Amino acid sequence: MSRARADEEEYWHSSKFRAFTFDDEDDELSQLKESKRAVNSLRDIVDDDDDDLEKVSWSGEPVGSISWSIKETASSSSSSSLEGRDTSLQKGSSSYAALPKQVSSYSLSNLFKGRNRLPSLPSLSDAFSDTGAKNYAPELRRPKAEYKDYSNDWSPRDTVRRMQRGKVCSLERFRSLQDKLVLLDEAVAGHDGNVITAVLIFLKRTLRREVLFRELEVRQVALCHLIHFLKETGEQKLLLDLLRFLDRTEEVALSQYREHLNIQDVEKKREFLKGCIGLPFSAEDISHIQDHYTLLERQIIIEANDRHLEMAGQSEIFRKYPRKASILNMPLVTTLFYSCFYHYTEAEGTFSSPTNLKKTFKIPDKQYVLTALAARAKLRAWEDVDALLTTKNWLGYTKKKAPIGFHRVVEILQRNNAPVQVLQEYVRLVDDVETRLNLATKYKCHDVVIDTYRDLKDRIQLMAYKCKVERGSAEEEKINSLLSNMQIRWKN
Amino acid sequence: MASTARRDAPEPPDFGILKRLARDQLIYLLEQLPGRKDLFIEPDLMSPLDRIANVSVLKQHEVDKLYRVENRPAPSSSDQLCFLVRPRVRTMRYIADVVNADKMSGRSRKYKIIFSPQKFYACEMVLEEEGVFGDVTCDEWSFYLLPLDEDIISMELPEFFRDYFLEGDHRWINSVARALQLLNSLYGPFSRAYGIGRCAKMSYELWRDLEEESESDGQGRKPEIGNIFLMDRDMDYVTALCSQVVYEGLVDDTFRIKCGSVDFGPEVTSSDKSIKVLLNAQDKIFSQIRNEHFSSVFGFLSQKSRNLQAQYDRRQGMDIKQMKNFVSQELKGLKQEHRLLSLHIGACESIMKKKTKQDFQEMIKVEHALLEGFDIRESASFIEEHIDRQVSPIESLRLMCLLSITENGLIPKDYRSLKTQYLQSYGPEHLLTFHNLKHIGLLTEQTAGETLTAVESRVSKLVTDRAAGKITDAFNSLAKKSNFRAISKKLSLIPRVDGEYNLKMPRDMAYVFSGAYTPLSCKIIEQVLERRGWQGLEEVVRLLNGSEFAMADGGLEEGAGGDAQRVVLAVFLGGCTFSEIAALRFLGKERGCRFIFLTTAITSSARMMEAMAEAKA
């Protein structure tokens, strides 16, 4: 070993500022492991099997369960008085209070004190080896020397193996690029992501980024680890540089766009989104980003206006139906619903009008009708519902049309407690006979049921239905007159 | 596995020891910081911790107050702080902030971080960067395995799914290997190992590495588990995406089972409070219905209620002495049964109510159509309407993924229009979610003339081999093709229907999906165990594009292992669902073998979709 090397080594071992050794206090590790074994053998003494006798508090959480207790601590920590805290602790552990206070008599750490420093490990492990038929931690039987070894001459492979087992390893001696890469490849071959990342942290610190990037380009597994590491540590700038280097432009764009999630202030967010429009998204996504920006821009305008209107108390709709939440950062469909609810009659020119939204964002007809219907039905504006579903053909005839299917229309109206007269008009328009009968029966649209059975010429069903309508009602009369109608050729 | 003579499945080994091991180690770690201390617990660790220790155990070891690790300054006044955490960068920053704030105010305390299940180098790096490296001591709590039930062991690492399958990070493979090592040392040696998937293979290799150097003295020990089967979640996404209809799966989908217990809200308990219920084999009612198709649960429960009523009614004709006996001997049991019965009936009602509201019937119909590959247009428009009506962001996503994966990707027109409508309904930021889904292969767009040739699959297989990883990820994208239709045909996953499928007397594993589909993951396991290897399944393996392996260790031959040869440890990397568990339990009963489940976490379609969503930081 060269002199310089030895010096360096001494530095790393003596200095308090160990630059890059993944030190885990080797001693403690082995100590821990041998203790684990000893602890296991003590199980019979210590085990008090208290989980069989779980007490359950009124809230259903077992008394003494950890989540229960955290709730307790949290609620008590707000009261600053010491007394309050104490009582809550008592309450929190009725089982604990009853326990004899002789905890330390079998305190485990007492048992181990002084022992783990003894060099005579074999005898200690011998003492425990017969206690159980099973060997819980076989690695403890290895000579202690192995844990103590600080030699820096580990091969890359051994270095990786040691790191996988959580042992100390200085990486500083891997100085040539060749050595570094061999180490990295070994780490990847070892399948332990923790070690791969550790090597990458070392490489990132000791290599110029272009060199690192270049080498990672042909090492996909390692590359994934670095990208994930950069995401987790929030090194956004380096991440973007890396993605640019790799020509992953779409990811560059998405990664930048992602930052908007962390911006609270809407004005700032809007500005940020504006900046995102120029990013190298795929052609398809560009329009989504553009829409996102436009939507937020609209929402800011609408929000300012409506808040003003609501405060002024002049507008009836806002007085009658105060807003539950701000419209900012809501999805487009929610915004459309909002606008159909509060701004339905506005001219297309205003930003808050539904038609304007529909046009700007090219909302499909189906989506529009569905949303407008829900909004108007919620307000019980049945004429609007009627108008929404009415179309005029070129001859001027009107016709009912629903791009979403009339069974959905019925469902929406019903959910908003539409009266039977309104409901049955649309139930009648349901195409599928079976669905129509089902809906009509379910929602007591007697007329539709009766008419449908008449059209089906189903006398038996019609007769059976008679008992479902009120006695002496118009419906009953209608059924009677149909049943006695000689013109109808019943199929049964 | 002999399918002729029906034998009783062996009893599962006792996994209680795993809990005791974890608890004892935790106690030891707490005692490493003598004196009174406050304990900060990572929220994710609270439920698992609850299952192995309780507050009185912590109090006995001088834990004073308990806090949740969250993004708020710590109100603790203790001189010693102990943090029980997952190895995460942001948690490290939180702890560093606590330490640095103390330093600023000239306060000196002792800090200890206990990482579970292991420490990551990146975490130490953050501590070093934040200038608190020497101020805190670090320890590891090797709590890899939590037995949730007599046959389910969970690693409680839901992040495994995203970390490995989306980010390509191998950080948890070591934990899996160590978990296997522990199980092998306690219940092994496993004499046969099978597996499919890249992660399965890597975990297996790392585990073997660990075993080799540990000079295991397992020789001569009588094993309790003879076989082990490892499978990557990405071998079968379809099963995990289907709506669950066995009771336990439905309860999970509806109420979310967390760490083996569920919070039944007021709508179930028909009172004004929630009740936390442990769902496992100890629950006499639950254990009888958990694996049943939902349709047979009602009948069972009402039969049970009638029996219970009859038992109560016996009181009527009793004299004093009999009554005394009744009260002292039977009443407690009856009351307990009554309590459980009313809870599960309440749960059923609540499930029914929710499902009817959501057009569940129609949704199931669409799912079955997708699985069988007919009426694709109708299904696509059902999904579209689902999105337009803003029914549920997670459900909409799930259906899109199911459509994509069964069809080998969406046709470009559908992809564009569904994506656009999704963003309009649920928010533009889901652009990021779509990117993730595409990356992981759950929701893709078909590109012209794309089929996986034998050559390509061979090349991409190279990537999976040891020391490779140097080939560009052009091949990875090839690996993302699902080929579901072809696999389904090859393994006949869609049962031929002759008449009605009797869900009360199931004849195969397909019952867990109403007889419409046999879960692919379970079918693979069944086939491989039956053939004792992959012979004859070459085509399936090629279509799955997984790296399969089968190893037989030691000289253990037929009969030598006894019952252990009929115990199979099924390891799901990336999570398994309750439907899969039910299916394999059924298979085990049929074939006289016992499946033990080891999963990185219990998963469900919703959990998978949520893992893909981009969270607000």
Side-chain angles (χ1 to χ4, degrees), chain A residues 22 39-40 64 66-67 103 108-109 163 165 191-194 225 228 232 258 285 333 367 408, chain B residues 20-21 24 31 50 55 60 121 128 169-171 174 186 205 213 385 388-389 419 424 470 614:
Chain A
F22 289 113
V39 166
N40 294 336
I66 282 132
S67 34
V103 178
L108 294 170
S109 56
M163 288 174 77
R165 277 95 184 133
H191 304 325
D192 184 344
N194 179 29
H225 283 77
H228 192 208
E232 285 196 316
R258 193 184 181 287
D285 285 350
V333 170
Q367 174 75 81
R408 280 279 176 238
Chain B
R20 294 198 291 271
L21 270 174
D24 292 349
E31 296 210 341
D50 251 341
V55 173
Q60 277 174 50
Y121 291 118
E128 189 178 342
D169 195 317
H170 298 178
R171 57 170 52 153
N174 194 13
L186 290 172
E205 285 172 0
E213 75 182 39
E385 201 176 295
D388 286 351
R389 290 162 58 214
K419 178 174 169 184
Q424 293 183 339
K470 289 192 183 182
E614 212 53 44

Side-chain angles (χ1 to χ4, degrees), chain A residues 7 29 46 59 89 168 198 215 234 254 258 369 374 448 461 491:
Chain A
D7 276 349
L29 181 79
V46 184
S59 72
L89 266 180
V168 190
E215 295 301 336
L254 286 161
R258 193 184 181 287
V369 170
V448 182
Q461 287 293 346
K491 73 168 182 192

Side-chain angles (χ1 to χ4, degrees), chain B residues 84-156:
Chain B
L84 188 56
V85 297
R86 290 271 185 237
R88 288 180 191 139
V89 167
R90 73 182 129 84
T91 318
M92 292 308 109
R93 296 237 163 95
Y94 166 80
I95 295 171
D97 286 348
V98 172
V99 177
N100 280 323
D102 282 352
K103 279 187 185 173
M104 292 287 279
S105 60
R107 169 160 205 184
S108 95
R109 307 201 233 204
K110 270 192 174 168
Y111 312 93
K112 182 185 194 67
I113 306 178
I114 300 174
F115 292 96
S116 177
Q118 65 170 117
K119 177 171 65 180
F120 285 151
Y121 291 118
C123 292
E124 288 183 306
M125 185 215 77
V126 173
L127 294 175
E128 189 178 342
E129 277 184 356
E130 299 282 340
V132 299
F133 188 80
D135 302 310
V136 298
T137 55
C138 296
D139 256 320
E140 283 181 343
W141 180 30
S142 321
F143 181 29
Y144 297 109
L145 299 166
L146 173 67
L148 289 180
D149 206 340
E150 57 175 28
D151 59 352
I152 308 174
I153 305 169
S154 168
M155 295 184 70
E156 291 297 310

Side-chain angles (χ1 to χ4, degrees), chain A residues 132-313:
Chain A
K134 286 173 177 175
N135 186 1
Y136 302 126
E139 69 270 31
L140 292 182
R141 310 195 124 211
R142 324 204 76 201
K144 185 147 185 166
E146 272 208 37
Y147 293 97
K148 265 256 168 233
D149 204 335
Y150 268 85
S151 162
N152 256 359
D153 280 339
W154 300 105
S155 69
R157 173 132 197 213
D158 285 338
T159 304
V160 166
R161 287 171 81 94
R162 284 176 61 80
M163 288 174 77
Q164 280 178 353
R165 277 95 184 133
K167 291 174 196 162
V168 190
C169 258
S170 164
L171 302 181
E172 295 298 324
R173 68 181 193 86
F174 295 94
R175 302 196 68 168
S176 74
L177 180 60
Q178 179 65 25
D179 283 353
K180 289 178 205 286
L181 294 177
V182 169
L183 182 67
L184 182 61
D185 290 339
E186 275 300 337
V188 169
H191 304 325
D192 184 344
N194 179 29
V195 177
I196 300 173
T197 305
V199 172
L200 283 168
I201 294 171
F202 168 67
L203 261 54
K204 175 172 162 271
R205 197 171 56 76
T206 56
L207 286 175
R208 202 157 62 87
R209 62 176 60 170
E210 286 74 13
V211 179
L212 177 62
F213 292 174
R214 190 185 69 213
E215 295 301 336
L216 288 185
E217 198 173 7
V218 288
R219 290 173 173 80
Q220 286 297 310
V221 173
L223 180 61
C224 285
H225 283 77
L226 184 63
I227 291 175
H228 192 208
F229 172 78
L230 294 176
K231 279 186 195 168
E232 285 196 316
T233 51
E235 291 175 75
Q236 178 78 349
K237 201 180 161 301
L238 189 56
L239 175 62
L240 294 177
D241 284 345
L242 173 57
L243 293 173
R244 273 188 210 107
F245 177 88
L246 298 167
D247 258 339
R248 298 199 191 167
T249 52
E250 198 184 339
E251 278 175 67
V252 171
L254 286 161
S255 184
Q256 277 175 278
Y257 170 69
R258 193 184 181 287
E259 288 175 54
H260 88 266
L261 293 171
N262 302 325
I263 305 176
Q264 295 300 321
D265 183 272
V266 274
E267 286 293 340
K268 278 190 194 137
K269 187 183 265 192
R270 187 182 55 121
E271 276 312 300
F272 183 87
L273 287 174
K274 196 176 182 182
C276 286
I277 294 170
L279 295 173
F281 286 102
S282 68
E284 180 203 352
D285 285 350
I286 280 280
S287 65
H288 295 312
I289 301 295
Q290 174 79 53
D291 279 356
H292 191 178
Y293 165 71
T294 318
L295 179 64
L296 186 62
E297 193 183 35
R298 288 293 171 86
Q299 288 172 339
I300 292 174
I301 298 170
I302 298 173
E303 177 68 21
N305 266 332
D306 289 2
R307 199 171 31 209
H308 183 76
L309 273 173
E310 196 176 33
M311 301 260 273

Side-chain angles (χ1 to χ4, degrees), chain B residues 231-502:
Chain B
M231 184 183 293
D232 286 11
R233 184 69 269 174
D234 67 349
M235 291 296 107
D236 175 15
Y237 281 137
V238 172
T239 301
L241 287 170
C242 292
S243 290
Q244 307 198 65
V245 285
V246 288
Y247 184 63
E248 193 166 14
L250 260 174
V251 170
D252 190 32
D253 274 356
T254 318
F255 306 102
R256 287 278 167 118
I257 299 175
K258 199 171 144 200
C259 226
S261 78
V262 69
D263 266 318
F264 282 137
E267 79 277 13
V268 174
T269 59
S270 50
S271 63
D272 49 1
K273 57 190 180 208
S274 296
I275 298 182
K276 196 170 192 165
V277 189
L278 216 50
L279 297 176
N280 58 27
Q282 259 74 60
D283 179 333
K284 290 286 175 293
I285 302 288
F286 180 69
S287 62
Q288 292 180 74
I289 51 175
R290 66 194 313 184
N291 300 316
E292 296 297 314
H293 189 271
F294 193 58
S295 60
S296 18
V297 171
F298 288 120
F300 176 86
L301 290 179
S302 70
Q303 182 60 44
K304 268 275 175 217
S305 321
R306 275 199 296 275
N307 292 350
L308 194 64
Q309 189 62 49
Q311 274 173 289
Y312 271 119
D313 286 347
R314 281 192 300 124
R315 280 174 314 170
Q316 247 86 67
M318 283 182 187
D319 59 25
I320 298 285
K321 195 164 173 241
Q322 287 169 319
M323 188 64 112
K324 206 172 147 195
N325 265 335
F326 176 80
V327 171
S328 64
Q329 285 166 16
E330 290 176 56
L331 196 59
K332 198 179 165 223
L334 289 182
K335 272 188 174 161
Q336 168 75 359
E337 198 175 327
H338 177 250
R339 195 181 73 92
L340 292 171
L341 203 52
S342 68
L343 273 176
H344 290 295
I345 290 173
C348 279
E349 278 173 352
S350 178
I351 289 171
M352 276 305 281
K353 223 183 268 171
K354 275 186 196 155
K355 294 297 175 189
T356 347
K357 223 194 251 163
Q358 291 168 3
D359 282 334
F360 194 55
Q361 204 55 47
E362 199 155 336
M363 190 137 83
I364 294 276
K365 236 169 71 191
V366 168
E367 280 177 31
H368 291 173
L370 289 176
L371 290 167
E372 289 183 52
F374 63 80
D375 288 350
I376 298 303
R377 295 316 316 155
E378 282 84 343
S379 300
S381 63
F382 175 87
I383 297 171
E384 185 180 36
E385 201 176 295
H386 198 271
I387 294 169
D388 286 351
R389 290 162 58 214
Q390 293 184 306
V391 180
S392 143
I394 292 296
E395 289 279 285
S396 295
L397 217 48
R398 175 179 76 83
L399 290 170
M400 286 170 76
C401 289
L402 197 57
L403 172 64
S404 166
I405 211 139
T406 50
E407 286 290 293
N408 257 340
L410 268 55
I411 55 174
K413 190 173 143 282
D414 281 354
Y415 183 81
R416 302 243 153 93
S417 106
L418 289 177
K419 178 174 169 184
T420 304
Q421 291 179 70
Y422 192 93
L423 298 181
Q424 293 183 339
S425 269
Y426 301 118
E429 68 277 7
H430 283 291
L431 193 69
L432 298 161
T433 312
F434 276 85
H435 180 75
N436 287 344
L437 288 168
K438 195 171 208 169
H439 187 74
I440 203 172
L442 273 168
L443 182 51
T444 57
E445 192 178 346
Q446 286 172 11
T447 47
E450 217 188 59
T451 39
L452 193 64
T453 67
V455 181
E456 283 167 335
S457 91
R458 216 171 303 136
V459 176
S460 67
K461 208 170 151 182
L462 273 177
V463 185
T464 71
D465 285 344
R466 215 183 160 102
K470 289 192 183 182
I471 304 168
T472 56
D473 68 350
F475 294 108
N476 285 344
S477 67
L478 282 173
K480 301 268 161 69
K481 295 213 64 176
S482 73
N483 299 309
F484 176 74
R485 207 68 72 205
I487 295 166
S488 166
K489 210 164 169 190
K490 207 88 209 154
L491 290 172
S492 358
L493 297 180
I494 312 294
R496 230 178 274 284
V497 225
D498 35 351
E500 193 87 332
Y501 190 100
N502 187 352

